[in-house]
Structures are given as C-alpha cells and as structure tokens.
Amino acid sequence: MGKLRGSLPRLLFDRQGPLTRELLREPGGFGLGQLPVKKKPDATTTMVCGYCSTGCGLELHLKDGAAIGLSPSTDYAVNMGMACPKGWEALAPLDAPDRATTPLLRDKGGTLRPVDWESAAGHFVTRMKAIQQEHGKDAVAFLGTGQLPCEELALLGSFAKFGMGLKHGDGNTRQCMATAVVAYKQSFGFDAPPYSYDDLEQSDVLVFVGANPCIAHPILWERVCNNPHRPRIVVLDPRRTETAQAATDHVPLHPKSDLWLLQALAHVLIRDGLIDRDFIGAHTSGFEALDAALRDFELERAAGESGIAVAEIERLARLIGRGQRVSFWWTMGVNQSHQGVRTAQAIINLALITGNIGRPGTGANSITGQCNAMGSRLFSNTTSLLGGRPWDDATHRAKVASVLGIDAGRFPEEPGWAYDQIMEGILDGSIRGLWVVATNTAHSWISQDDARQILDRLDFLVVQDMYHSTETAAHADLVLPAAGWGEKEGTFINSERRIGLIKQVRRAPGQALSDFRIFKLLAEAWGVGEMFRSWTSPEAAFELLQRCSEAQPCDITGIGGYAMLEDLRGIQWPLPAGATVERCSQRRLFEDGRFHHPDGRARLIHEAPRALPEKTSDAYPLLLLTGRGSSAQWHTQTRTGKSAVLRKLAPASAYVELSPRDAMELGIEPDEQVIVRSQRASVRARAFISHVVQPGQVFMPMHFAITNRLTLASFDPYSRQPAYKACAVKLERLEANPS
Ligand SMILES: Nc1nc2c(c(=O)[nH]1)N[C@H]1C(S)=C(S)[C@@H](COP(=O)(O)OP(=O)(O)OC[C@H]3O[C@@H](n4cnc5c(=O)[nH]c(N)nc54)[C@H](O)[C@@H]3O)O[C@H]1N2
Ligand SMILES: Nc1nc2c(c(=O)[nH]1)N[C@H]1C(S)=C(S)[C@@H](COP(=O)(O)OP(=O)(O)OC[C@H]3O[C@@H](n4cnc5c(=O)[nH]c(N)nc54)[C@H](O)[C@@H]3O)O[C@H]1N2
Ligand code: SF4
Ligand SMILES: [Mo]
C-alpha cells in the first residue's frame, strides 16, 4: 500500500496558517483580494459578514453607492483585520446566474413559470387560506433560519403566528443550536452564552468539545492564536482535525462517549478536591445530588466507553482543576447528539464546580453557527416569544402584544411543533402547506430521502430563497425571489452576543425583494397589513424588538438605534436603558455570580449516559461522522459554490474519509470511487484515506447532498435537535458492485 497518502490539499488552505493568512491579506493573493484594478472606490462602509456566527466586520468599498470590493475591518472588536476565504468572497454569490429574479409558479404541467409579484402573493394567500379552511389553521406551518436578520425573523414570526394564525413554525436553528438553548435555559435560567471572544485570549486552559474552529470558525481560532498565556489547548474530538492537530492535547474519544468522559472528569475533580466549594455554595444548586450520583462512578467503565485510559482522564482532570482561567467551548460534536443537552450540561457543570465562569478567560461557552443563530433564538417567535419570553406566560404575551399593538388573543399560548414534528405532521397529513424561508431542507435535513418524499406530500410548498436552483426549490409550488446579504439591511447577533449591522450595498437582481419587503407584501395580501403598519423599515422593527427585550436578560433598550451600533462597532447584549458601553468593548455575563433562575443560582443537572440509537454491526461495521469539510464551503453550497475562488479552495466532489487500516482491510485505494451504504441509502463517493479518522469510523462533509441520504433520523429528547453525527454504514469497492 505504498500509495497511502492524503489525496486532498486541505491543510494548506484550511489551517489558515501564517502562510495562507499572509496571502489572504494581500489583495490579489490567491485572487482573493477583491479590489478591482480599473475602478477606484469613492467610499467605504462597515458591516458584518453574512456567513458564520463569528460575525467579522468587513469594509465594503463602494463606487457610486454600490459595492465593488471588500476587505476585513481592522478596528472591529471581533476580527481585527482578518477574514476567512468566505468573508473575502462574500460578494461573489450575489452575481450568480441562478439567482431567483422573478417569482415562479408551478403550472399544471409541473413546470415553474415566471409570474409577477401580485399574482405570486395572490396564489400564496388563496392556496394557504384554502388549506386552512379545509384542514384547520394549524395545517399550514413555516420554517425559518438563523441566516436572516433579526428584523426579518421577527416580522416572519409575527406575520405567520399573529397574522396568518399559524401555530407551528420552527427554524433551521433546530438543526444547530436547540441543544445549547435548552441546556442554557435549564442550567442558567435563560439562553445566555456567557462569554466574549476576549476569553479565548485570556484563558490558560481552553477545552474544545466537538468543535473544529480551524475550519468552522477560523477567525475565532486566530483569536486563540493571539492568546499570550501559552495556553494548554485540549480538543475532544474522535477525529484528529486541523484543530486537534494544532492543539496541545488531543483527546480522541469514541464518538458520542462525551457524556461518559465529562462525568468521569467531574468525578475525579470532586474526588480529588479540585473544585471551588465557595463558588458552588454561593452560586449553584444541585451539588449534593450531583455528588451523590457521581460518587460510585465507574471510572474503568468510562475509560472503556470513551476509549480514554483512566490515567489520561485523571491527567485531564488535574489540568482543568489546576488551571487558573479555564474556558470550555463546544459546538456540533455536542449539540448534534442523541444526548446533546445532557452532554452540554456536563460541560456547564465542569465550569460551575471549578468556579470557571464570570471571570476573564473562563466560561461554559457554546459557539453558535450561522450569522444570526443567536438572533433567531431570541427574536423569531418560534421557541420563544420576541425577547426570549416564554409563550406560556400571560404577562409576557401581554407585554409583546402591547409593544406590537396586536391583540394578545391572537397569540398562541405555547410554542408550536419542532422541525421534526412538522415533518412528521406532513407525513401524517396534519400539515398540508409549508413555507420555507432561507433554508434548504431537501439537502440539510436528516435522512434526506424521507425528507424529500415528505416535501412531495404537501398540497402547497412555498420556497423563499436567493436562488431558484436549490434542492428544496425543485419541490416547490411557488418560489419567491429574495435579496441576500449585501442587498438589504438589518442586524445579526454573533456568538458573543454582539449585535452588528448589515447594509444594502448592492441592488438585488430583477424583481427579487428583501425578505422584509416580501413579508410586508404578503401581510397586505393576506389582509392584515394594518397589523404591521409600525414596521415601516428594518430600523423601525429593531426599535420594536428593543422594547420587547425590556427587563429581559437580553435587554437592549439602551441601544440608540442603528447609528449607535455603527459608532460603537457592534454592541453585545445586554445594554439596558441608561447603561453605557465603550467602542469595541468586550463584555462577559455572570460577573456577579447571579444567574437567571429565581433563586439566582445555576443548576447542576445530571443524567446517566444512554446508548447510541444505531450501533455498528457486522453488516454495518463503520460509524459515519459528518460535519464541515473546509473553510471555503458553506452548508449546502448554494452561496459558496458560486465563487470560483472558493471552489478552488475546496474539494470538488463528495468524498468519504477513512483510516489507512480500514482502507487496507477493504482493499480501497486513494481516490477510488466507493459505495457508502447505510440502512437508508447507498451513495458513491471518492475515498480519501487519512490518519484524521480512527479505524472503525468514517467522515463525510455535509456540503454534498448525498451525505444526509445516509443519516438516521434520531434526535435529542429534550431539544429535538437531529443527531447528525453518528450512524452505522459500510464501505464497498465499486468494482465489487458493477452497476
Ligand atoms: N466553513 C464553514 N464554516 C461554518 C459552517 C460551514 O458550513 N462551513 N457552518 C456554520 C454552522 S451553522 C455551524 S453549526 C458551525 C459548526 O461548527 P463545528 O461544530 O465546529 O463543525 P462540525 O464539523 O459540524 O463538527 C465539529 C466536530 O465534531 C466532531 N464530532 C463528531 N462526533 C463527535 C462526538 O461524538 N464527540 C465529539 N467530542 N466530537 C464529535 C467532528 O469530528 C467535527 O470535527 O460551523 C459554522 N461555520
Ligand atoms: N449531515 C449533516 N447535516 C447537517 C449538519 C451536519 O453537521 N451534518 N449541520 C446542520 C446545521 S448545524 C445547519 S445550520 C444546517 C444548515 O442547513 P441549511 O439552512 O439548509 O443550509 P444553507 O445552505 O445555509 O441554506 C440556506 C438557504 O437560504 C438561502 N439564502 C441565503 N441567504 C438568504 C436570504 O437572505 N434570504 C433568503 N430568503 N434566502 C437566503 C440560501 O441560498 C440557501 O438555499 O445543516 C444541518 N445539516
Ligand atoms: S470567520 Fe465567519 S464571519 Fe468571519 S469572515 Fe469567515 S465566514 Fe465571515
Ligand atoms: Mo449550524
């Protein structure tokens, strides 16, 4: 097997190492610098990036009011002059030839044909109302996203729930952040990620659990590299990812064994007295129960379950216990699991029992994913009412109703169904109409063959997207053409709770409208335009949201409109009326040790680990992990796939990463086409043989549609977040399967 080698040029581009960074900073290096040679900009304006939740500031270079290029902001508290390739290439997807430029309606022959907005809105209203009349109001549902600005999300959630009278609406944030939301709410009393990016630079021990920031949040990784304290960096990931390779300590635990390992760490910390009893006594509840549950903890069993030896667990516990400023960071390796919530809470417990919260360089920190995942958590009217308020509390409903000037009688008294329940509802015929906004269900939802069949059962599917070519639009009865990032204004909230501005620096193509204007137009057509009269502009909507946030932990009543966000380079929540904040400041929560439960204490929550829903077997001996493949690819690639530069920086076709040992046993050669088979489907992919994955495991990036044909529809019971990162598969050589 002399040919064993990595067959994709990943490290050079994905590590975002010094060489790449230098090249990327250089206008023209890699062809990434966007300043055109011929045109000279006559103005610049700052706005935040529209891809990931890092929320980098970008300088848009304008000519006659339109963006002709961009570069990273040097004085934005997030990125300080850096951007990853997606940020540099953010304008490219706007010019793509497959932009949706007119509404499209499916005719009787099954072809999508252009129609004007009046006719599109008319069809939307007639068809949806007909379904509601025949099957009840709840027979129509909507799916939103963490990629629209807060103002648009709030308008969508308000029009859909109070105007159209829908009960069921969720977002793609369910695929991503539901676990962190539930974990924080139960542990802290509010969905409150406590950190500031400054903490990445202040820690002396950083523990990353199921997170690969080198690929998924490259600029956060740069912040880690700026840490002057020579920190220990511990990475818990079954794969030896780019981040694991750059860390000081890689812990290659068995997939989905995190809860065992984290509880083992808590056991050793308590056993060896490496905990902060003063902090526990003053600021937490539930320690006695946790202590009792962990007292007879089977360390040997945890070592067996996780594949990490007892001595190594004890070494890690000492590292954490003796650190002065220890921070814990987690992302999808935790959230997308059959026991995600309890795993996240086991991380939170470690921070709490060691008193590592509310001080510089500490925290139990969930890194969010999409540019406005945090905004969708607080301001989308899905899992909570505007301002993070509970649906089932009449006082909160009355408050929002009075701010919006809408009769509280129109408010549902509980949150609607989660994404998976909406899909089930379509299957059993209780949901007949679906409105999908800025998410690509037919690619990204788990167990995709089922998902596509489910979409086809709908009487009426509306897809509102920048592109008419998405996998989901292919199933639509009506496509509504939307403006994208750069073509509209609003606010995003990043991972550290920083609210940043996006602006219109380009004109949307053809008849495409901002989602805000589409919602307004549909509200008029529905006959409830009056209800949204005060939503005159995104900035007017932002003011409503501020008022909805009053006296909540996320109170932003002290923000003086978009102008203040502009002047101060983004502002983290909270900022209540009367409070002051400095330009580019970085603030963390819980410095006073008070959490959001009525008793002011954080709760230590514990539950014993559960078995994987689908174990490997003789028939399907390999465990499939999925996730982000490169820093140049974004999700279903509708945007990044449109940039020639980003395409050069990413693998062109679907691949499956496998270990040299498994390749040897199966007789698979590098780059050979293989069949990956699960109980759901079988797909073809290129074999990428590397030491990044362990024997018995394989990895496929989520960016190619075939990956979710294999995944198993299983969910965390508390958050209902899909467990995308573990199902059983087998690999076969194509030669053995002539088709
Ligand atoms: N380039 C790029 N960046 C992105 C995105 C993108 O599509 N492309 N998407 C954005 C979004 S929405 C999100 S949510 C974030 C996601 O950011 P991340 O969560 O960092 O990315 P993933 O690759 O999904 O998963 C992280 C790691 O979890 C590991 N993992 C799998 N199973 C387990 C397990 O059982 N235990 C542990 N400890 N680890 C496990 C995987 O091996 C993987 O390396 O990225 C954001 N940033
Ligand atoms: N196997 C596997 N599957 C996964 C994951 C995984 O790790 N493994 N990760 C999951 C996670 S964390 C996430 S967040 C999801 C992401 O899954 P999706 O949300 O489906 O992915 P995107 O490609 O970002 O889809 C966004 C859509 O909105 C469109 N769009 C962009 N901007 C706008 C706009 O301003 N207005 C409108 N109307 N449309 C717009 C884009 O063209 C695109 O079609 O995937 C999930 N799926
Ligand atoms: S790290 Fe995220 S926010 Fe920053 S430039 Fe890249 S995609 Fe944009
Ligand atoms: Mo995500």
Side-chain angles (χ1 to χ4, degrees):
M1 294 292 290
K3 276 165 81 182
L4 281 186
R5 60 186 161 81
S7 43
L8 299 176
R10 295 184 333 149
L11 290 186
L12 174 65
F13 299 121
D14 285 338
R15 278 284 290 280
Q16 296 290 308
L19 175 69
T20 322
R21 210 160 56 237
E22 280 312 305
L23 284 165
L24 294 180
R25 272 182 180 162
E26 188 92 31
F30 278 139
L32 291 179
Q34 284 225 343
L35 285 177
V37 186
K38 283 186 191 138
K39 279 191 190 170
K40 270 200 155 177
D42 52 28
T44 61
T45 189
T46 310
M47 60 197 252
V48 291
C49 175
Y51 282 108
C52 89
S53 62
T54 304
C56 296
L58 301 174
E59 298 298 317
L60 274 294
H61 306 283
L62 311 175
K63 173 87 183 163
D64 303 326
I68 52 168
L70 63 78
S71 54
S73 307
T74 47
D75 67 342
Y76 203 74
V78 168
N79 51 315
M80 298 150 175
M82 300 176 282
C84 81
K86 292 186 298 304
W88 278 98
E89 276 293 286
L91 290 169
L94 301 181
D95 301 325
D98 58 343
R99 285 297 300 270
T101 53
T102 65
L104 299 168
L105 184 68
R106 199 169 293 283
D107 67 15
K108 289 204 170 68
T111 309
L112 283 171
R113 300 213 182 271
V115 290
D116 61 21
W117 271 110
E118 202 183 331
S119 160
H123 271 90
F124 180 96
V125 171
T126 321
R127 297 289 302 272
M128 292 299 197
K129 282 193 173 175
I131 291 172
Q132 287 188 315
Q133 250 147 30
E134 196 177 338
H135 302 284
K137 284 204 159 172
D138 299 350
V140 174
F142 71 96
L143 291 173
T145 179
Q147 292 179 66
L148 291 186
C150 297
E151 298 77 357
E152 294 185 343
L153 286 173
L155 183 51
L156 168 62
S158 301
F159 165 52
K161 292 224 162 170
F162 314 142
M164 295 170 73
L166 310 188
K167 184 171 173 205
H168 305 307
D170 202 12
N172 66 359
T173 329
R174 180 76 57 178
Q175 295 164 294
C176 181
M177 286 299 145
T179 290
V181 172
V182 175
Y184 277 142
K185 276 189 182 168
Q186 292 180 350
S187 295
F188 293 165
F190 195 77
D191 177 17
Y195 61 98
S196 151
Y197 295 157
D198 185 46
D199 292 316
L200 292 162
E201 298 177 2
Q202 298 301 326
S203 301
D204 59 4
V205 180
L206 297 108
V207 183
F208 287 92
V209 190
N212 188 8
C214 282
I215 295 292
H217 301 91
I219 302 308
L220 292 191
W221 183 254
E222 294 301 324
R223 298 290 298 263
V224 176
C225 297
N226 281 347
N227 185 316
H229 306 291
R230 300 174 58 84
R232 293 294 284 265
I233 304 170
V234 182
V235 172
L236 274 61
D237 195 311
R239 296 192 304 139
R240 195 167 152 70
T241 59
E242 296 75 0
T243 311
Q245 291 174 41
T248 57
D249 301 74
H250 175 213
V251 183
L253 77 179
H254 291 155
K256 303 298 152 293
S257 68
D258 303 63
L259 193 51
W260 278 104
L261 183 63
L262 294 162
Q263 290 181 354
L265 291 172
H267 165 80
V268 176
L269 286 166
I270 299 173
R271 185 195 70 188
D272 295 354
L274 293 167
I275 55 174
D276 185 339
R277 289 207 176 263
D278 292 342
F279 185 89
I280 294 170
H283 303 299
T284 70
S285 63
F287 182 72
E288 289 72 23
L290 178 71
D291 187 19
L294 291 177
R295 195 160 300 148
D296 300 322
F297 189 81
E298 299 166 86
L299 215 43
E300 289 291 346
R301 168 124 194 243
E305 296 282 348
S306 65
I308 305 302
V310 171
E312 172 70 354
I313 295 175
E314 289 175 331
R315 188 185 69 82
L316 288 171
R318 282 195 296 277
L319 196 62
I320 292 167
R322 291 181 187 159
Q324 299 300 306
R325 297 177 308 280
V326 186
S327 56
F328 300 86
W329 308 84
W330 83 85
T331 321
M332 290 307 118
V334 170
N335 283 1
Q336 293 171 342
S337 143
H338 67 292
Q339 50 191 1
V341 170
R342 292 296 179 253
T343 305
Q345 286 168 333
I347 299 173
I348 293 173
N349 290 353
L350 289 183
L352 290 171
I353 63 173
T354 55
N356 275 302
I357 196 150
R359 291 184 291 113
T362 66
N365 306 330
S366 153
I367 306 173
T368 52
Q370 308 169 79
C371 46
N372 197 28
M374 192 70 233
S376 91
R377 286 150 72 163
L378 294 177
F379 294 112
S380 68
N381 262 350
T382 53
T383 44
S384 64
L385 249 180
L386 300 182
R389 297 173 186 272
W391 281 102
D392 58 3
D393 183 316
T395 321
H396 284 293
R397 287 201 302 276
K399 167 73 185 178
V400 174
S402 87
V403 171
L404 302 186
I406 295 175
D407 173 11
R410 301 185 78 103
F411 284 37
E413 297 189 2
E414 52 186 19
W417 282 344
Y419 202 141
D420 68 300
Q421 293 167 304
I422 291 174
M423 296 299 271
E424 282 295 317
I426 300 170
L427 200 58
D428 72 19
S430 50
I431 302 266
R432 306 281 180 140
L434 184 68
W435 180 17
V436 177
V437 184
T439 184
N440 193 0
T441 305
H443 179 141
S444 61
W445 188 246
I446 200 158
S447 194
Q448 193 196 101
D449 290 2
D450 285 352
R452 291 186 183 200
Q453 282 174 24
I454 289 173
L455 292 178
D456 284 336
R457 295 175 78 103
L458 287 160
D459 294 345
F460 193 53
L461 172 63
V462 181
V463 172
Q464 186 166 319
D465 203 287
M466 290 170 67
Y467 304 99
H468 60 70
S469 56
T470 70
E471 286 83 358
T472 314
H475 297 256
D477 299 294
L478 176 65
V479 176
L480 301 177
W485 172 93
E487 297 167 342
K488 58 184 179 182
E489 58 178 14
T491 55
F492 289 157
I493 310 181
N494 78 356
S495 279
E496 54 163 3
R497 313 178 315 283
R498 185 179 303 275
I499 303 164
L501 279 177
I502 60 162
K503 297 177 186 168
Q504 183 175 4
V505 291
R506 280 284 182 89
R507 204 185 159 279
Q511 296 175 38
L513 295 176
S514 71
D515 294 279
F516 194 85
R517 288 191 59 196
I518 298 175
F519 301 141
K520 288 276 285 182
L521 188 129
L522 293 176
E524 291 291 343
W526 196 272
V528 293
E530 198 54 45
M531 209 182 269
F532 301 100
R533 279 289 176 265
S534 53
W535 303 62
T536 49
S537 64
E539 187 162 10
F542 183 72
E543 203 199 312
L544 294 172
L545 300 187
Q546 288 184 277
R547 287 166 55 203
C548 287
S549 76
E550 189 186 358
Q552 285 289 96
C554 60
D555 190 331
I556 46 169
T557 49
I559 296 178
Y562 284 0
M564 188 166 163
L565 291 173
E566 171 94 42
D567 286 352
L568 300 189
R569 322 299 270 168
I571 297 173
Q572 287 172 288
W573 65 256
L575 192 73
T580 53
V581 67
E582 285 175 6
R583 196 171 199 259
C584 288
S585 74
Q586 305 193 57
R587 294 178 293 140
R588 67 188 57 79
L589 303 179
F590 309 131
E591 284 180 327
D592 59 0
R594 277 198 69 77
F595 294 87
H596 299 300
H597 284 300
D599 62 2
R601 289 166 180 272
R603 292 187 186 152
L604 295 158
I605 299 169
H606 171 88
E607 194 175 298
R610 289 185 297 116
L612 259 183
E614 186 176 75
K615 290 206 179 84
T616 52
S617 61
D618 288 348
Y620 298 95
L622 300 165
L623 201 70
L624 171 66
L625 306 177
T626 69
R628 275 76 199 153
S630 76
S631 61
Q633 287 163 300
W634 180 258
H635 293 165
T636 72
Q637 300 203 77
T638 66
R639 288 194 280 164
T640 47
K642 307 295 156 49
S643 150
V645 174
L646 296 181
R647 282 201 307 272
K648 262 192 257 170
L649 296 177
S653 62
Y655 61 94
V656 55
E657 212 169 295
L658 74 158
S659 71
R661 205 177 86 189
D662 286 330
M664 184 106 69
E665 273 174 19
L666 295 164
I668 292 172
E669 298 282 317
D671 287 333
E672 178 180 338
Q673 286 286 317
V674 293
I675 295 179
V676 191
R677 206 184 287 278
S678 78
Q679 290 198 55
R680 272 71 57 198
S682 60
V683 303
R684 280 184 194 192
R686 190 157 56 94
F688 172 47
I689 301 167
S690 91
H691 289 278
V692 166
V693 286
Q694 300 182 42
Q697 297 164 26
V698 294
F699 173 83
M700 289 176 76
M702 63 163 299
H703 311 297
F704 301 98
I706 56 168
T707 300
N708 274 325
R709 295 190 56 205
L710 300 165
T711 47
L712 165 78
S714 62
F715 306 88
D716 176 276
Y718 305 106
S719 67
R720 308 196 79 93
Q721 177 157 345
Y724 284 110
K725 286 186 168 26
C727 74
V729 297
K730 69 171 153 187
L731 247 53
E732 293 161 8
R733 301 193 64 204
L734 202 55
E735 269 174 29
N737 287 276
S739 51

